[in-house]
Amino acid sequence: MMKRNSIFILLLWLLDFYGVSQNQNTVLPIIPKPQSCEITQGQFTLSPTTKIVVTSSSHQNEIDWLNEYLDKYYHFKLKTTAAIPKNDSYLEFVSIEGESNEDYELTIAKNQIHISAKEKSAGSFYAIQTLIQLLPLEKTTTLVIPCLKINDSPRFKWRGMHLDVSRHFFSISSIKKYIDLLALYKMNTFHWHLTDDQGWRIEIKKYPKLTDIGAYRKGTMVGPYSDQKFDSKPYGGFYTQEEIKDIVAYASKRYITIVPEIEMPGHSVAAVAAYPWLSCIGKQIDVEKGWGVFEDVFCTKDSTFQFLENVLDEVMNLFPGKYIHIGGDECPKTRWKTCKTCQARIKTENLKNEHELQSYFITRIEKHVNSKGKQIIGWDEILEGGLAPNAAVMSWRGTEGGIEAAKQKHQVVMTPGSHCYFDHYQSAPNGEPLAIGGYTPLEKVYAFEPIPTELNTEEQNYILGAQANIWTEYILNEKHVEYMAMPRMAALAEVLWTPKDKKNETDFLNRLQTHFLLLDKLEINYAKALYKVEQKITPSSKPNTVELELIANASLGSIRYTSDGSMPNPKSEKYQSSINLDKDMTISSALFKDNQLKGKISSRYYEINKATNKPITLKNEPSKSYNYGGSFTLVNGVVAKLPRDNNEWLGWSGKDIEVIVNLEKVQEISSLQIGFLNEELNWIYLPKSVEFLVSIDGINYTSIKKLLPEDFQFERFAKLSFQAKTVKYVKIIAQNFGKIPSGKTGAGEDSWLFSDEIQIK
Ligand code: ACM
Ligand code: ZN
């Protein structure tokens, strides 16, 4: 035993001697990746005898943080001392003069750790976060850390995460856990969406009904929006001002600023339910049970402004940060158009229209907020009708609003739906919990660049940073919030902290996988969508055959698959190159590493028939937004499923579908089928009629039959079986439903026609 130990020590010494310390090839699991990190010789051992050298009281917060962490996960704490210990290893905080509050230097040598940052700044706290990420994950009392020198500083000032607590309510302890998660990744802004149509969540002393009435609804929408189903369980909750003070202090210890959002003039049903006189018509309404955009918004009468100013005064007293978010998005102008007071306001203020009235609204609120020494920030609709003079803009409908605001010399926070909406799906919808829609996988978040190329160097300075939003219509509890946030937030943290030229996706994924173990330890429920295996279909050169490609990140494992309906295991066939599918079958695939299943198994059923991979022509092109995979989508062997995955459908707005399938040789057929989508709330209607025609020469067509929606199978498949006919071409004409009827969502607009998969047998 003794002998083996000596050999081992000798070996370590030799490795050290030759400068090939085991750490040199190690990927340090630090997220976000520091600006610079140099691994040096040797290791530091943190143990219960390690001391913290304290020369002033200014680092108590960081010391407490580290000790609480060590105590919770390793069951020991470090003692403090005023002088540098002679025999023990130690950690010392050094105060330096610096420009930024967020910079730090962390030097780990064999017996000493030095953390240098500005006095009482976030920098020392961030150094502790880095140190924590370097600790081994196993529970032991001797924690070995590689020696290194890190110089670190963030790329952006605004590194934010938002949380909607109106659609679903989250307890104080959930909010604290969320804030801790932000802190771990050096995020510094928590945008707290406190009010919306479905619930007012902040106590306002002057207006108690806001929470007595506005914080509760009589039920909640359940399932997908298109179902319009509701339960009748009372639902609600709010935060008292005392609780808010507690949260603000909690966040402040983690160097996180909370930006409270009080929505106006739209998304204000909960407030109007509490005080109906706030709206134009004064009608008593209920707090909303369902999701959407609603017409009862704040009126522009003086008393409403007085109310909002009083509310904001209480809010500004609670939140010490510079910014107050006043919403500003999605405000229908319906009520204003017929309201005497609002129309008189337009006249007396010399406004052109209701858009300018919205601008008047925001500008008037801005004046009040500015008078208290604070700034407003609002969603990009506040650009419409003219931006209030000092307002900052949160660009969510793409980056265009942000670009325009920066050009007008206004501060901007980027949060485009395409990359920063974490309520979107992170892998194919059929393997994920129900979400609002969209597709924002981890890789897309990591690739996000907050500075648009449209801005010149001076304009770029107005981009404060970015944030991700977590809207909670379909997110019911803390675990689900974590699942949507992680690991996408880690990717965004790196986008916002790490210098652009130091970012590298493979390297990030490598570090992230170590973080998964840390997150397990912290009991954070993260998604494993990065291990997804995508099944991608392309046309094959062979007739009635499609080519299936299985796509995954090769650095994360190898793909194994089955085609007999069984579940793949580590011994299943290894995927090498694309597979030809020429008959009906189920392909199940998954990623494996070290004989372990990573992520989930994805299965898909392929239906191969006479139409599969045949040339097709479309008279009208589908809309650009709903044309993934082009016309081949209609004959690719995959029948689109519900809920809708946009990659499986083609969509036309206001147009008929007229499609010809060329079977390439004359043959007998006896059945025809095509599928449609019925989602009236999303403006998608079944066709008025579907006509099937056949031809031998491609010039003269004979109609077989016209079907009406009431003939459809499962209410969405137009299917026809008939005595065998000899044909070469099949034409299908699906007539668009036309304008959306009055009384329905989107009344008067063109309806959409969505279709997928033509089957000919
Ligand atoms: C928003 O997503 N309505 C800002
Ligand atoms: Zn009005």
Side-chain angles (χ1 to χ4, degrees), residues 539-565:
S540 158
S541 54
K542 302 195 182 88
N544 299 105
T545 304
V546 291
E547 211 166 291
L548 173 64
E549 236 185 296
L550 300 180
I551 304 169
N553 190 320
S555 73
L556 304 174
S558 54
I559 303 172
R560 309 228 167 224
Y561 72 98
T562 61
S563 54
D564 60 0

Side-chain angles (χ1 to χ4, degrees), residues 280 299-300 336 339 342:
C280 291
C299 178
T300 64
W336 291 356
C339 169
C342 289

Side-chain angles (χ1 to χ4, degrees), residues 167 261 263 267 329-330 379 381 396 421 469 471:
R167 276 54 177 264
E261 181 178 353
E263 270 270 19
H267 286 295
D329 60 321
E330 299 179 321
W379 301 108
E381 285 94 331
W396 72 281
Y421 268 47
N469 300 332
W471 301 102

Side-chain angles (χ1 to χ4, degrees), residues 32 154 170 271 307 411-412 512 585 619 625 667 696:
F170 299 90
F307 164 88
Q411 307 281 18
V412 171
L512 182 62
M585 67 176 91
K619 191 167 163 203
S625 321
Q667 56 193 282
I696 289 197

